[in-house]
Amino acid sequence: MSDFLAARAQMAMSLAFHIIFAAVGIGMPLLMVIAEGLWLRTREETYLVLAKRWAKGTAILFAVGAVSGTVLSFELGLLWPGFMRFAGPIIGMPFSLEGFAFFTEAIFLGIYLYGWKRVSPRIHWLAGVLTAISGAISGVFVVTANAWMNTPTGFRMQNGQPIEIDPIAAMFNPSWFQQTLHMTIAAYLATGAAVAGIHAFMLLRHPADRFHRRALGIALWVLAITAVLQPISGDLSAKVVAETQPAKLAALEGQFKTERGAPLRIGGLPDPASETTPYALEIPGGLSFLVHGDFNAEVPGLDQFKPADRPNTVVVHIAFQIMVAAGMALLGLGLLSALLAWRHRRLPDQRWLLWLLTLAGPLGFIAIEAGWVVTEVGRQPWVIYGLVRTADTVTPMPGLVVTFVTFTLLYLFLAVVVVWLMWTQIINAPSTEGRARHEEAGHATT
């Protein structure tokens, strides 16, 4: 493995690991403040237990996310010094503001975790709300910096160097709104689907457990609402990609030839040698209509770009198909759950639906991982689109495969620890009924 490939693999591994915890760090605080809000409104103890249980899980995942995020910060400078030398003065502001939002989130999460009996219930709930808001804002600033890599603005080039830097214009680049909106909704959707899957699985074992029924009810609402919103934000993102990164759009759609009335492809396997995408279900004019609102509009293909400037079409197209398929599956499941709840006026708890929810639990995070493959691999060979190639920014230090293997083993170890902690401390911990039985048994022996 070359040093360049090892550096890319290590960065990809770190991002793939961290993004799970970043998404959960955005989504879980929303769930816990909803649970506590319902407790404040109804005074039903189950919601209070639920808020405390989810807060404990949020704390575990927040700690791991903070560690993996710190590793990523070091990797940006150590693996890609050329990138930081060029981009640091331009996107330093969103990274700095992200740090401010992160510390704000940590402070209010601390108040939330340790303030149950130290502040009033409403102030405590407000601390949870501020945790959720600052967590979402933290994610927005990070994605804003990534959006700048896709659509760099806020400076002027002179002799290969950026001058007249405007960090505000760089933050509000053409992709920032659509990309941050898409990622934020994805975080809520993935977390809602995962939580729904966990509690659906527990309801299969304990159908009458009030704790898991209340938890599933909250998670299903988050899942259903965000699953409807996500395709809309995805459509907005696709239109911006079509305008600003036509090579990425062509790769994710497997569009090799420039043509009018370009079809929308479902499935298929791009063949760069023949420049075709066989085995795809094609909807005539579908792609032209989606990106331009005209079934006969021209869509640039990969033939508009030199082979050296094209992303890996096979990887990008397959990742895009996985992301869309996972999102559509969650949309169908969310709508079906809402329909059953509306029709029967109660929590949809049919066993076949609980099995579907359990199986669909990981789909949101699979979609997030696939989406980031589309974003990052689709931008290649550029680290800053159209300006700086990734290969020109890697560190000259040899032996990068050693750090890649070391960090891979570290992430595997951390993943095992997190799963064990979540299972013992959160998922398999006694529910309200179990805790009541435990307390009754304790009273009987005293």
Side-chain angles (χ1 to χ4, degrees):
M1 178 181 283
S2 67
D3 286 325
F4 176 56
L5 183 57
R8 288 193 64 190
Q10 183 175 334
M11 201 70 195
M13 174 70 71
S14 299
L15 276 170
F17 185 82
H18 176 70
I19 199 170
I20 300 296
F21 299 95
V24 173
I26 294 172
M28 279 308 298
L30 175 67
L31 293 178
M32 71 187 193
V33 296
I34 291 176
E36 188 178 2
L38 288 171
W39 172 68
L40 288 172
R41 182 180 177 186
T42 66
R43 292 297 171 179
E44 182 180 331
E45 189 196 8
T46 307
Y47 288 121
L48 179 60
V49 176
L50 191 53
K52 290 183 176 179
R53 189 78 61 83
W54 280 346
K56 189 185 291 185
T58 301
I60 294 171
L61 298 169
F62 179 85
V64 179
V67 172
S68 58
T70 304
V71 171
L72 270 174
S73 302
F74 281 110
E75 287 180 347
L76 273 177
L78 295 174
L79 294 177
W80 311 102
F83 168 73
M84 292 307 295
R85 187 165 49 249
F86 185 98
I90 306 172
I91 59 172
M93 182 173 287
F95 278 131
S96 301
L97 293 174
E98 189 274 338
F100 175 77
F102 172 77
F103 285 119
T104 304
E105 180 186 8
I107 290 168
F108 284 113
L109 180 60
I111 295 173
Y112 194 85
L113 291 173
Y114 298 103
W116 285 103
K117 294 182 179 179
R118 294 179 174 84
V119 298
S120 71
R122 293 192 182 281
I123 293 296
H124 186 269
W125 177 78
L126 183 60
V129 171
L130 293 174
T131 301
I133 292 174
S134 53
I137 291 176
S138 176
V140 165
F141 282 128
V142 172
V143 178
T144 294
N146 181 268
W148 176 84
M149 294 163 67
N150 293 322
T151 51
T153 54
F155 61 96
R156 188 170 66 82
M157 291 294 289
Q158 186 177 74
N159 300 323
Q161 296 298 320
I163 62 170
E164 299 177 9
I165 293 171
D166 182 349
I168 301 297
M171 279 207 306
F172 296 106
N173 61 80
S175 296
W176 84 272
F177 176 72
Q178 291 80 4
Q179 198 170 325
T180 56
L181 178 67
H182 198 53
M183 183 62 222
T184 304
I185 295 175
Y188 293 130
L189 174 58
T191 305
V195 172
I198 290 170
H199 292 287
F201 176 72
M202 298 305 291
L203 278 178
L204 287 168
R205 298 169 61 184
H206 309 289
D209 192 302
R210 192 165 61 247
F211 174 83
H212 295 299
R213 295 183 71 82
R214 294 288 186 264
L216 179 61
I218 294 173
L220 276 182
W221 272 109
V222 174
L223 164 62
I225 293 172
T226 53
V228 171
L229 295 176
Q230 189 64 327
I232 300 171
S233 71
D235 180 64
L236 293 173
S237 289
K239 285 181 168 59
V240 173
V241 170
E243 182 179 347
T244 59
Q245 300 178 83
K248 178 185 288 186
L249 180 80
L252 62 88
E253 291 291 347
Q255 184 72 30
F256 286 95
K257 307 293 184 186
T258 301
E259 62 179 323
R260 290 186 174 278
L264 181 68
R265 295 181 177 85
I266 301 174
L269 183 62
D271 180 6
S274 63
E275 299 198 335
T276 60
T277 304
Y279 316 118
L281 173 63
E282 296 188 349
I283 302 174
L287 180 59
S288 293
F289 179 77
L290 283 179
V291 297
H292 297 297
D294 179 357
F295 285 102
N296 198 40
E298 181 176 283
V299 175
L302 289 165
D303 58 0
Q304 296 285 313
F305 306 91
K306 295 184 294 185
D309 292 343
R310 299 177 185 177
N312 187 318
T313 309
V314 176
V315 172
V316 175
H317 180 73
I318 292 175
F320 181 69
Q321 295 293 316
I322 292 173
M323 180 187 72
V324 173
M328 290 296 106
L330 289 176
L331 174 60
L333 202 50
L335 292 176
L336 179 61
S337 301
L339 177 63
L340 290 171
W342 172 77
R343 186 173 179 181
H344 299 291
R345 296 291 191 272
R346 62 180 176 84
L347 180 74
D349 59 353
Q350 295 83 353
R351 287 189 66 81
W352 59 268
L353 180 65
L354 295 179
W355 273 115
L356 285 178
L357 289 169
T358 301
L359 295 173
L363 285 183
F365 290 107
I366 291 174
I368 285 179
E369 297 285 6
W372 274 98
V373 170
V374 172
T375 300
E376 294 303 300
V377 180
R379 194 185 55 244
Q380 301 303 318
W382 310 98
V383 67
I384 303 171
Y385 188 72
L387 293 175
V388 182
R389 290 181 182 272
T390 308
D392 295 334
T393 62
V394 70
T395 175
M397 186 185 85
L400 294 180
V401 68
V402 176
T403 60
F404 167 56
V405 173
T406 303
F407 274 91
T408 300
L409 294 174
L410 174 64
Y411 288 136
L412 288 174
F413 172 73
L414 278 177
V416 172
V417 171
V418 169
V419 170
W420 177 75
L421 283 173
M422 295 298 290
W423 179 259
T424 57
Q425 299 294 317
I426 312 299
I427 299 171
N428 210 34
S431 61
T432 48
E433 283 79 3
R435 195 176 66 167
R437 287 195 296 271
H438 178 75
E439 290 173 349
E440 287 172 4
H443 291 318
T445 58
T446 56

